[in-house]
């Protein structure tokens, strides 16, 4: 069982990372302060913090943040992205908060759609490989482990390859919802990466079929297609002390257009059995094709209705994971 953890990416509107968010008249509910308040409410042990929030703090602010985390028994994970990462800033943040893990998204590609880059995908892969090796070398000197996320861009075999090339202080941040966007079944993906996983994003989706493939629609974690109990058993058998955080999906549905021939460009050949496993897994709690699955963000909602939507979903997600026996911890 994972200890309760949280990251900010399922609360992007409320925390001011997307759109207007909570009114600025209530600054304590936005940004880092707002995030910490929700983490304290849920009683989390692991807290994954958006690195630009930490970078904006002076030494006094960093000391106050560290003291607050210690007081609440929270372990920090630094969250960044390889395309824009500043290693000096990350090292400063990690040292100040005694963080041992740095989560990296590797690219900005979403929905598994490598073809959107035209002929640029192979070049991007080489850039990722070079930047990751360089960052890993620096991180190793400071006792840090880099955890690279399956951020709807790379498949399981590719992530394992990056880890083996970059060195022993590079592992995987496994996003449980992001096997579907690269046409892999969640349990198949889990088995392939388990030995390299060092951190987990618990995410879920409900799937809606389309003429071009399928949409991945945000839902409370535990209400969708992801088989959490089976995945947790595999992951914790490989590494019993894994950290994990709650992360409902994005406010916009992800459309995986794998029925279009061009979508498969730059993918390795896949067996019919492996694709069938993915499509079969996606049918759990399947949404009707004609259903309106738009989130409040997609229908143009703003203000408190959207804030309530995000907060209700994160609270339900925490309750679901406790009920399933995937996460421990009680809300305060």
């Amino acid at each position: 069982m994972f200890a309760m953890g949280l990251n900010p990416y399922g609360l992007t509107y409320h925390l001011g990372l997307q759109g207007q968010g909570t009114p600025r008249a209530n600054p304590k509910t936005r940004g880092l302060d707002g995030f910490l308040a929700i983490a304290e409410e849920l009683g989390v042990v692991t807290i994954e913090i958006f690195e630009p929030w930490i970078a904006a703090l002076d030494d006094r602010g960093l000391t106050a943040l560290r003291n607050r985390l210690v007081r609440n028994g929270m372990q920090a994970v630094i969250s960044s992205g390889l395309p824009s990462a500043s290693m000096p800033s990350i090292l400063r943040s990690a040292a100040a908060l005694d963080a041992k893990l740095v989560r990296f998204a590797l690219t900005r590609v979403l929905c598994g759609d490598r073809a959107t880059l035209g002929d640029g995908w192979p070049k991007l892969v080489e850039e990722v490989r070079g930047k990751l090796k360089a960052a890993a070398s620096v991180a190793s000197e400071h006792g840090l482990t880099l955890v690279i996320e399956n951020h709807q861009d790379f498949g399981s075999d590719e992530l394992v390859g990056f880890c083996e090339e970059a060195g022993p202080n590079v592992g995987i941040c496994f996003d449980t919802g992001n096997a579907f966007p690269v046409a892999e079944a969640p349990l198949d993906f889990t088995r392939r990466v388990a030995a390299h996983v060092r951190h987990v994003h618990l995410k879920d989706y409900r799937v809606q079929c389309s003429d071009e493939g399928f949409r991945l629609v945000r839902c409370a974690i535990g209400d969708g297609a992801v088989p959490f109990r089976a995945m947790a058993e595999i992951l914790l058998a490989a590494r019993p002390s894994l950290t994990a955080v709650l992360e409902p999906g994005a406010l916009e549905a992800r459309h995986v257009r794998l029925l279009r021939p061009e979508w498969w460009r730059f993918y390795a050949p896949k067996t019919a059995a492996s694709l069938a496993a993915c499509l079969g897994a996606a049918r759990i709690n399947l949404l009707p094709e004609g259903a309106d699955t738009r989130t409040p963000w997609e229908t143009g909602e703003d203000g408190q209705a959207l804030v309530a939507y995000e907060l209700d979903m994160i609270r339900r997600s925490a309750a679901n994971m406790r009920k399933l026996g995937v996460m421990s911890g009680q809300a305060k």
Side-chain angles (χ1 to χ4, degrees):
M1 185 182 300
F2 302 114
M4 185 67 68
L6 183 68
N7 78 18
Y9 305 118
L11 297 157
T12 53
Y13 181 84
H14 174 55
L15 298 177
L17 294 174
Q18 179 175 354
Q20 178 183 339
T22 299
R24 293 188 182 276
N26 299 307
K28 291 295 183 181
T29 65
R30 294 172 62 91
L32 180 57
D33 282 335
F35 179 51
L36 291 169
I38 298 166
E40 289 165 355
E41 173 196 326
L42 296 176
V44 310
V45 173
T46 301
I47 182 165
E48 183 179 322
I49 308 178
F50 183 53
E51 202 275 331
W53 285 340
I54 315 171
L57 298 176
D58 58 19
D59 290 345
R60 184 176 178 180
L62 284 170
T63 299
L65 174 57
R66 179 169 180 164
N67 290 342
R68 185 172 179 178
L69 297 182
V70 170
R71 195 163 55 246
N72 285 286
M74 295 179 183
Q75 174 185 2
V77 174
I78 307 300
S79 188
S80 185
L82 190 64
S84 58
S86 166
M87 284 307 295
S89 181
I90 288 170
L91 294 175
R92 172 181 178 263
S93 298
L97 302 183
D98 195 27
K100 303 303 180 186
L101 295 180
V102 180
R103 167 264 182 189
F104 271 154
L106 295 178
T107 78
R108 295 185 174 92
V109 171
L110 293 171
C111 307
D113 198 352
R114 304 172 181 189
T116 58
L117 298 178
D119 293 328
W121 177 254
K123 180 181 178 182
L124 178 60
V125 173
E126 289 308 306
E127 289 176 355
V128 166
R129 183 173 283 114
K131 288 182 179 180
L132 182 59
K133 286 182 179 179
S137 177
V138 173
S140 179
E141 296 173 1
H142 295 266
L144 293 177
T145 296
L146 306 184
V147 287
I148 55 175
E149 183 180 353
N150 55 314
H151 200 251
Q152 303 194 0
D153 44 12
F154 290 106
S156 54
D157 288 338
E158 293 164 315
L159 288 170
V160 169
F162 284 138
C163 291
E164 292 174 345
E165 292 171 11
N169 70 316
V170 175
I172 291 171
C173 169
F174 179 32
D175 187 307
T176 59
N178 283 349
F180 290 126
V182 290
E184 294 189 43
L187 290 180
D188 289 345
F189 199 113
T190 306
R191 293 186 187 100
R192 292 189 189 107
V193 301
H196 294 274
V197 174
R198 300 293 182 270
H199 183 54
V200 181
H201 284 180
L202 295 175
K203 182 188 289 176
D204 206 355
Y205 285 117
R206 293 193 69 185
V207 180
Q208 183 181 52
C209 295
S210 75
D211 290 341
E212 295 178 297
F214 51 77
R215 292 181 182 86
L216 299 172
V217 180
R218 174 190 174 115
C219 65
I221 302 163
D223 287 353
V226 174
F228 286 103
R229 280 180 175 165
M231 295 171 84
E233 288 177 3
I234 295 167
L235 293 169
L236 292 171
R239 184 170 292 267
S241 60
L242 279 176
T243 56
V245 296
L246 300 169
E247 186 196 344
L251 289 170
E252 306 92 348
R254 303 304 193 193
H255 198 173
V256 183
R257 294 177 168 86
L258 52 67
L259 295 184
R260 295 171 57 176
E262 62 269 23
W263 185 90
W264 291 95
R265 193 179 182 202
F266 302 120
Y267 278 90
K270 181 180 289 292
T271 67
S274 64
L275 181 57
C278 172
L279 297 177
R283 296 190 65 80
I284 304 300
N285 293 324
L286 190 68
L287 288 164
E289 287 192 33
D292 184 355
T293 61
R294 292 175 297 172
T295 68
W297 171 265
E298 291 170 311
T299 60
E301 289 279 0
D302 204 354
Q304 290 305 315
L306 191 44
V307 169
Y309 169 80
E310 287 189 326
L311 291 175
D312 289 348
M313 186 170 287
I314 202 69
R315 290 166 180 148
R316 177 174 172 81
S317 296
N320 283 350
M321 291 296 94
R322 288 193 293 265
K323 185 176 180 179
L324 284 172
V326 174
M327 272 190 155
S328 62
Q330 295 294 325
K332 295 182 179 179

